[in-house]
Amino acid sequence: MASITELHPEAKVREERHNRAVLLANLQTTGLRMPGIEVAYRAATFAGASDEMAWEAARRHELAMIGFPDEISTTGGLSYPRGLADEESSRKRRQSLIDTCRALPNPFAQQADAIQRGNSDLEEAA
């Protein structure tokens, strides 16, 4: 097995650390917002994933961080302003976040993959 310094050379680690802010900004520009999306993306690329699959790993992380609407329940904890404490509206907001995340086109998807790219091909043709 290779040594740690061979697997993670200092120059490469410094470069990744320097590029973190740029990667995070680029991912946020594509619509991903949750904390840790850049870590999910970099972990996938470190494991050998393509940019397309690494972006999908970041999307999966975002979906995992959002959670599911049925996980919301009234706990009797803090009192929030009217509207924020309503369980049903909280479920709808969470479902909206999920739908928005799932609808994001993968910027690294191949041109032929219309499902992953969303409607951008149709918009370009119009």
Side-chain angles (χ1 to χ4, degrees), residues 43-57:
T45 58
F46 182 78
S50 65
D51 287 332
E52 180 180 2
M53 290 311 298
W55 193 88
E56 290 301 334

Side-chain angles (χ1 to χ4, degrees), residues 12-29:
K12 183 68 174 168
V13 173
R14 285 181 184 274
E15 178 185 345
E16 287 178 2
R17 183 172 166 79
H18 178 71
N19 292 339
R20 180 189 170 277
V22 173
L23 173 62
L24 181 58
N26 287 342
L27 290 172
Q28 288 175 338
T29 299

Side-chain angles (χ1 to χ4, degrees), residues 86-97:
D86 179 27
E87 201 171 321
E88 186 58 33
S89 64
S90 294
R91 285 191 177 116
K92 287 179 182 177
R93 276 194 303 275
R94 187 170 290 183
Q95 187 60 53
S96 175
L97 288 172

Side-chain angles (χ1 to χ4, degrees), residues 76-124:
L78 297 173
S79 177
Y80 294 101
R82 188 163 65 183
L84 293 178
D86 179 27
E87 201 171 321
E88 186 58 33
S89 64
S90 294
R91 285 191 177 116
K92 287 179 182 177
R93 276 194 303 275
R94 187 170 290 183
Q95 187 60 53
S96 175
L97 288 172
I98 291 168
D99 295 342
T100 299
C101 183
R102 286 185 172 156
L104 293 172
N106 185 327
F108 299 104
Q110 299 300 320
Q111 289 286 353
D113 193 351
I115 294 173
Q116 288 291 325
R117 290 188 50 81
N119 292 329
S120 60
D121 293 335
L122 296 174
E123 292 170 2
E124 288 175 16

